[in-house]
Amino acid sequence: MIFRRLCEIESLRASWQRVLNHYPANQIPLELQEFDRKKDALLTRLAHMLANQNFIPEPAAIIQIPKPSKPGERRFITMVRPEDRVVLTTLNNLLEPVFEPQFAAHSFAYRHNRGALDAIKAVEHAMQRGLTAASCADIDNFFDTIDRSLLLQQIRKSIWEKPILRLLDLYLQMGRVAGQEWVEAGLGIAQGSPLSPLLANVYLVDFDQYLSSLGGDWVRYADDFVLMARDIPEATSALVQAQAFLREKLKLEINPSVQYATAESGLDFLGFHLERGRRTISELKLQSMQTTLAGHFQRHPAASAPLANALAETVGGWKRYYSHGDTTNQFAQIEVFLGMQLLKWLKDLLLRNNEGRVSANDRSALQRIPLMVHDRMEDRRAWLDRWVQQAEQEVKSASAPKREHGHRPPVSTRQAIEKRKREFLERRFALEEIVISQPGLYLGRSGERVVVRDKGEKVAEAPLSTLHNLTFVTTAASLSIDLMVECAERGIGIQVLGHAGRPVVVAGSPEMPAHELSLRQSALAEQPAGLKLARTLIGGKIENQMRLLRYFGKYRDRTGAEFGKQAVGAVELMTRIADELNLITYPETASAEHVDLYRGQLFALEGRAAGHYWNAVRSLVAGHEIFEGRVRKGARDKVNSLLNYGYGILYSRLMPLLLRAGLNPYVGFLHKPQPGKAGLLFDSIEEFRAPVVDRVVFSLLNRKVSLPIGVEGLDVASRAVLARAVLRRLQTQTRYHGAQFPMQKIMEMQVKKLVEAIRAESEYEPFAMPW
């Protein structure tokens, strides 16, 4: 009895081990590690639920991944929870012996002791027997278009136990989750499920029998199949009949890109090109390989160890598979392409870090990259040394002055790329952020676009699908209610900034703090644990202020020797304050009054660090503006006016993130909860002031950008320039835990970390600005 064996704890344990064996020991996902720690209790509970027939699968999560062989296309796969993976793996183990005898000898995918290379050999053997013509095709969108009712009919021919059929029906019909959306199950079976490969073969049992009845030879690997014949007309006829069967009997369609080939012209199958008894890598696959390699370098722009690990897995897999062919010359081509990509990556790394040499740590990590031809350790070391030396030399040459006879030196490759990159980011920014500064403009909606009109005439437009925010730096403009409603439904923010930069109007869908989280937050704010969180937030602010001073200190030719001296001294003093901050401890039994006293102590340390920071800033801007120190309210000087306005923009972007996370922005940890004051907003913004606003303001001043100031503060033109610069900074890709994200996204992820800290799920770690 299949059902009885499904419910046995030993069957479930064996399946769980099989799930773990799918991963290298150091790459097991955290969710599976957590399940493994409690496996005995969880598997016992699962066995009991299965036996009582009250087990209900969870909906799988849908994610999209690129199709390696088809750039620009993506396929959907599903991620299932550990309990479901155990059940599905056990079902696969129990059902496979039932269906395996039904599978044809010409079917090679998802079967023991069979694989892609066996399928290729079968095609070659057919050619050797005189079947030198072929039609090659694949079933279009196969997994996603399987008819589940037909699949269940096929299963019922061999399986009749009602509990098993009920469980299979549950898995097939269960909805899925995409992001935060429930997706009703329609056609198809889930790619990524341990049972799906077996079910795919079961669904095609009748198709395989039909192909055998046509009289020729054939080979199938999953949804790819080859029909062998004596000539092209015979191969064409066989494919027409196969297409009709799939459409009429199984409700499937063939991909229009059918390939007709002969042994002389060669055919592409499973990544190989088969021609006159030779196997080489197909041209399409070579292009796909290059796309894959380039993608690895793009996904790991500054993290050498993750890059090396990803390349080792990818290149190692290619070498194991494609070494079964005449591919030595093509392997050499891949090595060259890999080297060129590495060269570009190394140059970007050196320029980003403002260094002249690749570090020993990066060299050590990159030596793990396998090569396709020269894979001895000494060969890999020499190969890496060659590209590292070339990168260091090219960066050194690019930075050297090249003016001769009054002529401007030619733009370097890197400069040209950076120019195009800046242009691209500017175009993207224009589609994502609309900043309105001209009085009298009217914004409305026309279909899927935002239309900006001046006195009735259209002056600009942008698609709603790419828009993130509408920001008004003037109150003498208007927009339609229809556009406001559409923005709210799509999550597009609308902010109207006052003279000081603080948002005077924020429009969007209604959002309220979560009740349970807000209670935790309020309780924590009055406890010593809340002070620890406040201390961490201040530490993050001080660290980023020091990092920003170091960042500007790198450009001595622009900022001057005096600032460099002031910055070094300030950082030294601020480091001592940060160390003093970390030594503070709080008794667990501290009363509310004592908590307030400790808050004062934190503010005092923060104020001392800020004093050193702003003293150094005074030296930084001395050549451009008079700056005597920070003025938060009623500022009349340009530097403080710019800073206050920029902080206001930051407030407008951080507030919705706090609300969407379920936090109460008025209950702070450093800033004592007070009616009408957004304490948590003030707390959360601290670590982002320096890397977002201060950096933008000081850069604008150093570049001598015209920013006029009037009696009421910054004029409209200055506010527009600053707003665009700050918003552009929020969209800038920034290094964060070994990857690159827009600063706005980093703020969102930090808010999620704050939620986890309030729930005591993890310690809060502040964002550290790369410099």
Side-chain angles (χ1 to χ4, degrees):
M1 292 280 289
I2 295 175
F3 181 66
R4 178 179 56 78
R5 293 179 59 193
L6 172 68
C7 302
E8 291 174 353
I9 188 68
E10 291 307 319
S11 297
L12 299 178
R13 281 202 182 98
S15 295
W16 174 243
Q17 191 58 50
R18 193 168 178 177
V19 169
L20 291 182
N21 291 344
H22 181 73
Y23 300 91
N26 60 343
Q27 296 180 26
I28 297 175
L30 292 176
E31 185 182 25
L32 300 190
Q33 293 180 35
E34 181 64 24
F35 186 94
D36 195 49
R37 283 191 286 269
K38 306 172 184 177
K39 63 182 177 184
D40 290 336
L42 292 174
L43 291 176
T44 300
R45 175 175 175 269
L46 181 58
H48 180 74
M49 293 175 68
L50 287 168
N52 290 323
Q53 299 186 44
N54 56 14
F55 172 78
I56 301 176
E58 288 285 337
I62 303 174
I63 63 172
Q64 297 182 53
I65 63 172
K67 290 184 177 180
S69 60
K70 298 179 181 179
E73 293 189 25
R74 305 179 74 83
R75 65 186 175 101
F76 294 91
I77 65 171
T78 57
M79 305 294 290
V80 296
R81 66 169 183 162
E83 288 89 341
D84 292 308
R85 295 182 74 168
V86 172
V87 175
L88 289 166
T89 300
T90 309
L91 281 171
N92 183 77
N93 297 341
L94 297 174
L95 297 179
E96 190 176 48
V98 176
F99 289 107
E100 176 61 29
Q102 302 175 25
F103 298 154
H106 302 265
S107 168
F108 292 90
Y110 317 129
R111 300 177 66 185
H112 290 300
N113 301 320
R114 286 170 170 258
L117 292 173
D118 298 306
I120 291 168
K121 289 178 184 177
V123 172
E124 291 172 334
H125 290 161
M127 288 180 173
Q128 293 167 5
R129 296 198 309 273
L131 300 174
T132 56
S135 55
C136 311
D138 67 277
I139 301 172
D140 193 27
N141 209 16
F142 172 51
F143 281 86
D144 293 334
T145 56
I146 287 176
D147 187 297
R148 295 176 187 150
S149 61
L150 294 179
L151 175 59
L152 284 171
Q153 288 179 26
Q154 187 70 28
I155 292 172
R156 288 190 181 99
K157 294 178 182 178
S158 305
I159 304 295
W160 53 87
E161 294 180 54
K162 289 184 179 180
I164 295 294
L165 292 173
R166 175 185 174 274
L167 195 55
L168 289 171
D169 193 34
L170 269 174
Y171 273 114
L172 289 173
Q173 305 300 337
M174 179 62 66
R176 301 185 181 98
V177 175
Q180 300 300 316
E181 297 293 327
W182 177 277
V183 180
E184 287 292 348
L187 293 172
I189 59 176
Q191 294 189 68
S193 162
L195 189 59
S196 292
L198 176 66
L199 297 182
N201 276 336
V202 171
Y203 193 71
L204 293 177
V205 164
D206 290 346
F207 178 60
D208 291 347
Q209 292 176 355
Y210 180 76
L211 293 181
S212 297
S213 72
L214 295 178
D217 206 345
W218 59 277
V219 173
R220 183 177 65 79
Y221 189 88
D223 53 346
D224 291 299
F225 61 93
V226 179
L227 304 181
M228 308 299 300
R230 289 183 294 270
D231 53 40
I232 292 296
E234 186 177 300
T236 304
S237 175
L239 184 61
V240 169
Q241 295 176 74
Q243 184 176 25
F245 183 91
L246 284 171
R247 180 178 295 151
E248 295 169 9
K249 303 296 184 181
L250 298 179
K251 301 181 181 180
L252 299 172
E253 294 290 340
I254 286 179
N255 195 307
S257 56
V258 174
Q259 175 191 181
Y260 295 101
T262 65
E264 291 296 313
S265 65
L267 65 90
D268 293 346
F269 185 50
L270 302 181
F272 277 105
H273 180 73
L274 311 178
E275 180 181 350
R276 299 178 183 177
R278 295 180 68 241
R279 292 184 201 167
T280 56
I281 305 173
S282 71
E283 287 299 319
L284 186 62
K285 185 60 184 179
L286 281 173
Q287 295 173 16
S288 171
M289 286 176 162
Q290 293 182 0
T291 301
T292 300
L293 289 175
H296 284 318
F297 284 97
Q298 291 167 6
R299 282 188 292 275
H300 305 287
S304 54
L307 172 66
N309 292 337
L311 290 172
E313 182 177 354
T314 297
V315 177
W318 288 342
K319 187 172 182 179
R320 287 189 295 273
Y321 181 67
Y322 288 103
S323 60
H324 298 275
D326 305 309
T327 54
T328 302
N329 291 337
Q330 292 173 310
F331 279 2
Q333 294 175 30
I334 296 170
E335 272 191 22
V336 171
F337 182 84
L338 178 62
M340 295 302 294
Q341 291 294 308
L342 178 63
L343 174 64
K344 178 180 179 297
W345 186 89
L346 288 169
K347 288 163 63 178
D348 288 345
L349 182 72
L350 293 172
L351 290 169
R352 184 183 297 109
N353 295 338
N354 196 30
E355 296 174 349
R357 300 186 66 82
V358 176
S359 70
N361 286 339
D362 286 327
R363 277 177 172 268
S364 176
L366 295 172
Q367 281 179 1
R368 297 201 298 272
I369 299 175
L371 300 181
M372 304 289 279
V373 180
H374 308 97
D375 200 30
R376 293 185 307 168
M377 179 54 71
E378 55 267 33
D379 291 337
R380 291 195 332 212
R381 190 176 294 115
W383 179 86
L384 177 63
D385 288 344
R386 184 168 69 253
W387 292 113
V388 166
Q389 291 169 10
Q390 185 172 343
E392 292 173 346
Q393 183 59 44
E394 289 189 16
V395 169
K396 181 180 178 182
S397 300
S399 62
K402 297 183 180 179
R403 293 183 179 272
E404 295 180 10
H405 309 297
H407 294 292
R408 178 176 294 179
V411 176
S412 70
T413 300
R414 185 64 210 165
Q415 289 172 326
I417 292 172
E418 285 299 322
K419 180 175 183 293
R420 288 290 180 256
K421 181 179 178 181
R422 286 193 299 271
E423 292 171 352
F424 165 77
L425 292 176
E426 191 65 32
R427 290 194 298 271
R428 190 184 73 178
F429 175 80
L431 293 174
E432 294 178 347
E433 301 275 354
I434 294 180
V435 179
I436 301 297
S437 58
Q438 179 182 334
L441 295 182
Y442 171 80
L443 280 73
R445 176 190 173 201
S446 177
E448 286 295 302
R449 305 184 76 79
V450 176
V451 177
V452 183
R453 298 184 184 276
D454 184 14
K455 298 177 182 177
E457 292 192 10
K458 183 169 69 175
V459 294
E461 64 178 353
L464 279 164
S465 59
T466 61
L467 186 61
H468 291 176
N469 289 281
L470 279 172
T471 302
F472 293 80
V473 297
T474 175
T475 56
S478 57
L479 75 162
S480 70
I481 297 297
D482 179 39
L483 178 58
M484 289 183 64
V485 171
E486 189 66 18
C487 287
E489 290 180 350
R490 293 174 182 250
I492 300 170
I494 301 176
Q495 301 93 26
V496 181
L497 305 180
H499 291 293
R502 294 290 180 94
V504 294
V505 173
V506 176
S509 57
E511 291 171 316
M512 295 295 290
H515 177 67
E516 171 269 340
L517 184 59
S518 184
L519 288 177
R520 282 178 175 267
Q521 181 183 344
S522 298
L524 190 64
E526 300 298 329
Q527 297 172 4
L531 291 171
K532 294 178 183 178
L533 185 52
R535 182 184 62 186
T536 302
L537 292 168
I538 290 179
K541 175 184 181 178
I542 295 174
E543 177 63 24
N544 281 337
Q545 287 177 330
M546 292 191 293
R547 284 171 174 250
L548 189 64
L549 294 178
R550 294 190 187 106
Y551 169 81
F552 281 106
K554 293 190 299 183
Y555 305 100
R556 297 291 178 86
D557 56 332
R558 279 182 264 171
T559 57
E562 180 59 29
F563 167 71
K565 179 181 175 181
Q566 292 286 338
V568 170
V571 168
E572 182 178 349
L573 293 169
M574 294 169 74
T575 301
R576 294 177 188 174
I577 294 172
D579 292 339
E580 187 178 343
L581 183 71
N582 290 330
L583 292 175
I584 299 176
T585 57
Y586 307 103
E588 296 295 332
T589 57
S591 64
E593 291 77 16
H594 283 103
V595 168
D596 283 342
L597 290 174
Y598 283 121
R599 274 202 188 95
Q601 184 183 19
L602 292 175
F603 271 119
L605 289 170
E606 187 267 347
R608 285 169 50 198
H612 298 307
Y613 173 73
W614 293 116
N615 281 337
V617 169
R618 182 186 299 117
S619 175
L620 175 63
V621 301
H624 315 291
E625 296 294 333
I626 297 175
F627 175 68
E628 297 297 334
R630 272 296 285 140
V631 178
R632 290 168 176 77
K633 291 185 178 181
R636 291 290 180 263
D637 66 289
K638 181 181 292 187
V639 178
N640 277 302
S641 297
L642 290 169
L643 290 169
N644 291 342
Y645 198 90
Y647 295 151
I649 297 172
L650 204 55
Y651 288 133
S652 72
R653 294 308 173 88
L654 188 55
M655 176 71 92
L657 298 180
L658 296 174
L659 287 169
R660 281 201 292 271
L663 293 166
N664 189 334
Y666 295 91
V667 178
F669 302 101
L670 174 62
H671 294 83
K672 182 179 178 179
Q674 298 180 51
K677 290 194 174 183
L680 184 65
L681 178 62
F682 300 153
D683 289 355
S684 303
I685 205 173
E686 296 295 356
E687 62 189 294
F688 294 106
R689 290 181 188 269
V692 178
V693 177
D694 296 7
R695 177 169 166 171
V696 165
V697 168
F698 303 156
S699 295
L700 290 173
L701 293 172
N702 282 338
R703 289 177 7 231
K704 299 181 180 179
V705 175
S706 176
L707 297 163
I709 185 169
V711 177
E712 296 184 351
L714 298 173
D715 68 15
V716 173
S718 299
R719 297 203 297 265
V721 170
L722 179 59
R724 288 190 175 92
V726 171
L727 296 177
R728 193 177 293 111
R729 174 68 179 149
L730 288 172
Q731 296 300 327
T732 300
Q733 294 286 321
T734 304
R735 194 162 69 248
Y736 181 80
H737 294 299
Q740 296 276 336
F741 297 96
M743 186 66 75
Q744 179 84 22
K745 181 64 178 178
I746 292 173
M747 289 169 57
E748 181 181 344
M749 290 188 284
Q750 287 298 110
V751 168
K752 290 181 180 178
K753 286 187 175 183
L754 185 59
V755 171
E756 293 171 357
I758 291 171
R759 287 180 169 152
E761 295 172 354
S762 63
E763 296 286 334
Y764 184 77
E765 180 184 358
F767 163 70
M769 181 193 88
W771 64 276

